[in-house]
Amino acid sequence: MDVNKKVVNGIPSAYYFKYKLGRTGVYGTLKRSDPSIDDIYNALKRAELYRFFLSKDAIARLRDVRKKCNALLNVTHLFKDPYSNRERTIIKELKANLDRRIDAVATHFLGVHKEQALENYENRLEFEAFYDKANLNGKAVGRTLDNEYRYERANSRHLGKDTVKNWLDSGSQLTLNTWMDTVRQWAGEDGDSSLAGLAQEGVQYLDEQGRQAYKLHFAGGMARDSNGDLFHSGNLVSSSSGAGWGIYMVDFYGNFYVGSHRINRFHHSSFFSGAAVMAGGEIAINSGKVVGVTNKTGHYKARPEELNAALTRLMLQHAVDLRNVAVSDPFNAPDKWFKAMDAIQANGILRNLPAAQEIAKPARVPV
């Protein structure tokens, strides 16, 4: 068999793929047909002609093959892997060749623009740093978005740091958006030749109008939502403190905004589009009553100063009774809880409070 005729641009023909695996059914092969391998074979069959082409249709067909490869490589078995090391190696090599070919095809007709995109991002980051400094304007409290998340703010889709890092490390010379639309591996990618089946992702960034739906309104020390109903965090969740907790941000006027944390979709950066804020963390509210507060925000790396500012605003500006509110600072006093009034006495520096003053984490706010 002439291998060169069976492999085009690194992608084997459907038959040659099965031949390498020893699953063609010809004399001397012992392995029976397998549904996952047949899926790859059939996808390769559909993509066979497109191995020669430089088009979006070719990208879609090759992505379909890659999806079937991933489906097989993700198969695990409690007692025995149904595929041999040799089979897995062949399929991993196929996937690597598909990655390279998809990127090469996309680059051919969409161009090399990564360097310019990075320069644009750097310029935007420089402007935003100036804007943040103006917002802080020497204030004693307040945080800017941590450097770790700078590209989330700078890219137009607000894609998370892991996705951006994958792009930066990929070696592709496509812009981030082009890479996302054509090359990047999506969990739900399919073989739709129009690429319309690709999902979108990115952290939601709110504008002034969108932010109002998350704003708390206090009356008599009780928190209410934008509809005037008593606010209840029972259906909210934070990845750190769990169910019953929401994530919050405080603007420089002392207003609180609360929502549910969704990884890679809604973060602390969402409320103010990554701009500087007075404070942020997590909050638990039971039918209008604040019962728990933390300063856990990885995006802003809140300090004791911000925790103290949030508590002080709740008490003095919003008349919240803090006597039954539990407070935690995962950064400086992990896994420890204290009364809010003790936390204020310590200026938010919970590590300075004696162990005798520790209390239990508040009970979960019911749904």
Side-chain angles (χ1 to χ4, degrees):
M1 178 179 296
D2 187 345
V3 174
N4 292 325
K5 292 182 179 179
K6 300 301 179 181
V7 179
V8 176
N9 292 315
I11 313 302
S13 67
Y15 181 83
Y16 184 59
F17 167 72
K18 267 199 170 182
Y19 176 84
K20 287 179 68 177
L21 291 175
R23 290 181 180 265
T24 57
V26 299
Y27 178 77
T29 60
L30 300 176
K31 294 183 178 179
R32 287 186 258 176
S33 177
D34 178 89
S36 294
I37 289 176
D38 289 345
D39 284 344
I40 300 174
Y41 171 85
N42 291 327
L44 278 169
K45 195 72 175 174
R46 293 190 293 271
E48 214 153 87
L49 187 61
Y50 292 88
R51 296 177 298 162
F52 297 89
F53 295 164
L54 295 167
S55 67
K56 284 191 175 182
D57 286 344
I59 291 175
R61 298 283 181 164
L62 296 174
R63 289 181 71 111
D64 190 34
V65 180
R66 186 172 67 180
K67 178 183 179 181
K68 303 303 190 293
C69 290
N70 286 328
L72 183 145
L73 292 172
N74 289 333
V75 168
T76 58
H77 195 278
L78 183 60
F79 300 106
K80 182 180 179 181
D81 191 327
Y83 305 106
S84 68
N85 289 335
R86 179 176 172 278
E87 288 175 317
R88 283 188 173 275
T89 297
I90 290 172
I91 293 166
K92 286 178 181 178
E93 288 175 352
L94 171 58
K95 180 186 175 303
N97 287 334
L98 287 163
D99 289 339
R100 284 189 287 270
R101 182 58 183 169
I102 290 168
D103 185 77
V105 174
T107 301
H108 176 81
F109 66 84
L110 294 173
V112 177
H113 305 292
K114 185 176 188 176
E115 186 174 339
Q116 181 61 51
L118 288 171
E119 183 179 340
N120 292 342
Y121 289 153
E122 293 297 338
N123 290 337
R124 180 171 176 178
L125 292 169
E126 184 177 350
F127 169 78
E128 288 168 344
F130 177 82
Y131 176 78
D132 288 341
K133 186 175 182 180
N135 263 351
L136 288 177
N137 194 24
K139 294 180 174 69
V141 296
R143 300 293 283 170
T144 60
L145 195 65
D146 190 76
N147 284 340
E148 189 178 6
Y149 298 93
R150 65 192 188 282
Y151 277 112
E152 175 197 290
R153 184 180 181 187
N155 75 78
S156 61
R157 292 184 184 177
H158 311 301
L159 297 161
K161 60 175 183 176
D162 291 338
T163 300
V164 175
K165 187 176 186 302
N166 288 340
W167 168 63
L168 292 172
D169 294 343
S170 68
S172 174
Q173 292 305 302
L174 297 167
T175 64
L176 176 58
N177 283 350
T178 302
W179 180 78
M180 290 291 294
D181 289 339
T182 58
V183 178
R184 191 252 182 168
Q185 180 177 297
W186 297 82
E189 66 183 357
D190 56 29
D192 182 356
S193 61
S194 68
L195 295 181
L198 300 183
Q200 298 296 306
E201 67 178 51
V203 178
Q204 182 181 5
Y205 272 30
L206 301 172
D207 58 16
E208 177 64 30
Q209 182 177 359
R211 190 158 48 245
Q212 296 310 306
Y214 296 86
K215 186 177 180 179
L216 294 186
H217 303 269
F218 290 90
M222 302 291 283
R224 295 182 179 273
D225 61 23
S226 58
N227 295 319
D229 299 323
L230 288 174
F231 191 89
H232 190 75
S233 64
N235 288 319
L236 303 185
V237 65
S238 170
S239 63
S240 179
S241 290
W245 288 78
I247 58 174
Y248 76 88
M249 296 303 284
V250 188
D251 66 20
F252 288 108
Y253 300 99
N255 298 307
F256 280 69
Y257 300 81
V258 179
S260 195
H261 183 205
R262 290 180 291 146
I263 295 175
N264 293 328
R265 294 298 293 164
F266 197 93
H267 294 166
H268 283 97
S269 55
S270 296
F271 295 102
F272 289 91
S273 297
V277 295
M278 175 187 285
E282 303 165 302
I283 194 165
I285 302 176
N286 192 341
S287 298
K289 294 182 179 180
V290 178
V291 296
V293 176
T294 83
N295 69 337
K296 176 63 172 69
T297 163
H299 274 66
Y300 286 88
K301 299 294 192 294
R303 306 166 299 175
E305 294 93 321
E306 283 73 49
L307 176 60
N308 191 56
L311 295 173
T312 302
R313 289 287 183 167
L314 284 172
M315 180 175 65
L316 299 181
Q317 182 174 337
H318 300 300
V320 173
D321 185 352
L322 296 181
R323 287 176 295 179
N324 294 313
V325 176
V327 177
S328 177
D329 179 354
F331 297 116
N332 297 290
D335 302 319
K336 295 181 179 180
W337 292 83
F338 297 91
K339 293 181 179 179
M341 297 307 296
D342 291 337
I344 290 176
Q345 288 294 318
N347 295 315
I349 309 174
L350 302 189
R351 63 176 178 272
N352 289 347
L353 292 172
Q357 290 184 313
E358 287 186 38
I359 61 174
K361 178 180 178 179
R364 174 183 170 178
V365 176
V367 176

